[in-house]
Amino acid sequence: MPMPSADQLALAQELADASAKVIRSYYRSDFAIVDKDDASPVTLADREAEKAMRALIEAKRPQDGIIGEEFGEQNAEADWVWVLDPVDGTKSFTVGRPLFVTLIGLMYRGEPVFGVINQPITADRWVGGEGVPTTLNGQPVRSSDVATLAGAIIGTTGPEYLPRARPVFESLAKRGRYQIYGGDGYLYAQLASGWLQLVVEEGLKLHDFAALAPVVNAAGGKMTDWQGRALHRHSEGCVLAAANATLHAAVLPELAALAV
């Protein structure tokens, strides 16, 4: 798999900076919340941040495609495609909790190869992918070496988002160290830094996971679908992220059974 170019890596940082500036201007302010067709909320911060990122890509890498949560696809059949989720965790954003992140993914021919997970309020930025070891604010990070379920902290955004996997998640949580809820894409950054060991989710869309898998994998973790396959543009969005391959292999069969 090819590595992102130097100008793509530089652009990714610019995208994170530009979106953060917009988001901070709306944070804990009086803004309207609109419910989309799927009942998920969206704000001006989501839309204006994505517009800012799109404008930069169009100006600096017009040959690259764009897939954004708010404004859809543009040149999406290009070899290189940016996948943007300006505010992943909008519900947290709307109530003034800094548990949301901006997700900036880069795909090559439909395969996620690089990602940025940016928290605009705390100014924490995880970057990693193909040929780019994961860093937090420029410092190398590694996922945990906890290889047994008994020692693992397991997270998910919320049990209500696990229509199929909730019984499995609850069983894993009982056998693990403990579970945490909330965080959306932030959970995967925490896993990449070694602070928790497992994340189980379903129903994710491309913009939800395209940036996450490269960051997790480049930190020494393993993030796949429930059949253990690498995530790609057309993946269903049922994911397992683990701190290492041993822990991933121990947990995967329980989720794989749900897809039979």
Side-chain angles (χ1 to χ4, degrees), residues 7-8 11 54-66 74-76 78 80 82:
D7 62 320
Q8 286 173 321
L11 177 55
R54 283 176 173 268
L56 278 169
I57 296 168
E58 290 165 4
K60 300 201 171 187
R61 292 280 305 185
Q63 69 272 37
D64 292 351
I66 306 172
Q74 176 179 328
N75 191 26
W80 292 97
W82 298 88

Side-chain angles (χ1 to χ4, degrees), residues 96-162:
R97 295 196 309 178
L99 295 179
F100 63 91
V101 287
T102 298
L103 301 178
I104 301 164
L106 183 60
M107 297 191 303
Y108 179 75
R109 296 183 178 177
E111 305 288 336
V113 296
F114 176 76
V116 177
I117 305 172
N118 194 58
Q119 212 307 309
I121 309 306
T122 63
D124 286 328
R125 183 176 301 176
W126 288 261
V127 174
E130 196 72 30
V132 184
T134 298
T135 58
L136 166 57
N137 299 333
Q139 297 301 310
V141 293
R142 292 289 294 176
S143 55
S144 169
D145 60 2
V146 171
T148 62
L149 178 58
I153 303 167
I154 181 171
T156 195
T157 297
E160 67 272 26
Y161 301 113
L162 296 173

Side-chain angles (χ1 to χ4, degrees), residues 71-100:
F71 297 104
E73 299 184 0
Q74 176 179 328
N75 191 26
E77 301 309 315
D79 280 351
W80 292 97
V81 177
W82 298 88
V83 184
L84 310 175
D85 190 345
V87 180
D88 184 68
T90 300
K91 290 179 181 178
S92 288
F93 174 77
T94 62
V95 298
R97 295 196 309 178
L99 295 179
F100 63 91

Side-chain angles (χ1 to χ4, degrees), residues 164 226-227 229 236 254-260:
R164 281 192 288 166
W226 288 353
Q227 288 75 49
R229 299 174 299 207
E236 181 185 12
E254 298 184 51
L255 292 165
L258 297 176
V260 174

